[in-house]
Amino acid sequence: MSGPEEPGEARYDVPLTVPGPDAEPARRNGHRRTAATAADPAPSGGPDTSLDEPDTSADEPAEAAGEPRADAPVAPPGPAVADRPGDHWDRKVANGLAFLRRRLSGDYEVDEFGFDPELTDAVFHPLVRLLYRDWFRTEVSGVEHVPESGPGLVVGNHAGTVALDALVLATALHDQHPAHRYLRLLGADLVFRMPVVSEIARKTGGTVACNPDAERLLGNGELVGVFPEGFKGVGKLYADRYKLQRFGRGGFVSAALRTGTPIVPVAIVGGEEIYPMLADIKPLARLLKLPYFPITPTFPWLGPLGMVPLPSKWLIEFCPPIPTAHLRDSADDPLVVFNLADQVRETIQQTLYKLLERRPDPFGP
């Protein structure tokens, strides 16, 4: 107990502590003192401040445990922190959910032929891209011959028992072309009579191989792809590989002449080896209403596994375009149509021979 206070005199039970000018502010909300302040000793001869601030030496790491010194040099700022590994997949999941929402709500566009660009880019092209890049190791050349804008008629050779060459050509052209143009393929009637295949063909930009549809697409400034050999080219035996079949009546030439569209021949090497057709069972084909029933080294012996294409090496070359604008008045002249179709066929055939010399091994690197 302390005695009575004298007037004008103050008495304290504990020593009065006066913080110095460099003293640390009181700790609030549990924040720890900085190392620089904690390392400052009390002024010499000054009062003991141990009663003003609780002892935190027990829960503060020592300097040897990694606490930076007050006089330690400051490291320069490092590079920006990259996205965490999960961020990439988060964006993929978010984009996928947004895509599904648009598909379910019908918030997407198709043209008058049923072409769905969003579905083509998001689903079909990625699947075919795995084939033509990784499985077939496709090399593409001459893309500069394809018009950057406006109409163009791309005419190619057909082969392979299953017409994968059309899908590969459309995807490779879209990926390699500077403007990433879509190739609107013309298909046979059989393609559009098959329930699932018909929907896929329409969604990816295909339509029936007839002059009115071809002329409408070309009139709209589209790139149109046609394979004049038809099933005669797809279903030929392996012994006749890379020998072009007859080009029909030259209907594709008439469509190009009426619209003044340049014709771009394209040669495709590699499709003949994916399903080498050794024989064609015609009675079974007639029974199933098919153009042919193939026998290959793997089908039908391996069942569903026989549908896996062999990993042949593919080469695709686009040839210089053949102008037709100066022949628009000759669209109904059979002689002009035949000569132009023969010119396109001979260009493709000679390019095939050249590409085969570049690729002596069908399954090489």
Side-chain angles (χ1 to χ4, degrees), residues 130-267:
L130 293 176
L131 278 178
Y132 98 83
R133 282 185 179 177
D134 302 327
W135 191 248
F136 296 142
R137 310 171 305 284
T138 307
E139 296 181 11
V140 182
S141 58
V143 182
E144 65 275 6
H145 297 311
V146 180
E148 292 190 6
S149 61
L153 184 62
V154 179
V155 182
N157 59 297
H158 223 13
T161 306
V162 176
L164 290 182
D165 48 8
L167 304 179
V168 169
L169 178 64
T171 305
L173 176 59
H174 179 269
D175 288 354
Q176 300 291 330
H177 195 276
H180 300 291
R181 302 196 65 181
Y182 296 102
L183 185 63
R184 309 297 295 272
L185 297 172
L186 302 181
D189 294 343
L190 176 63
V191 175
F192 297 93
R193 291 201 302 265
M194 302 171 69
V196 177
V197 177
S198 173
E199 289 297 321
I200 294 176
R202 291 287 186 187
K203 292 292 186 181
T204 55
T207 189
V208 180
C210 62
N211 275 25
D213 282 2
E215 292 176 16
R216 286 168 61 194
L217 286 170
L218 294 173
N220 294 336
E222 300 283 354
L223 276 181
V224 177
V226 61
F227 299 88
E229 294 175 280
F231 287 120
K232 298 188 302 292
V234 181
K236 63 178 177 288
L237 298 178
Y238 186 67
D240 299 325
R241 61 191 180 278
Y242 301 115
K243 296 177 182 178
L244 292 183
Q245 305 299 300
R246 190 172 65 89
F247 268 19
R249 295 185 297 272
F252 70 97
V253 174
S254 299
L257 291 176
R258 288 191 176 91
T259 56
T261 300
I263 299 175
V264 182
V266 58

Side-chain angles (χ1 to χ4, degrees), residues 314-330:
W314 284 47
L315 301 177
I316 299 177
E317 181 170 338
F318 294 92
C319 304
I322 300 174
T324 64
H326 62 291
L327 298 173
R328 298 187 69 164
D329 296 336
S330 304

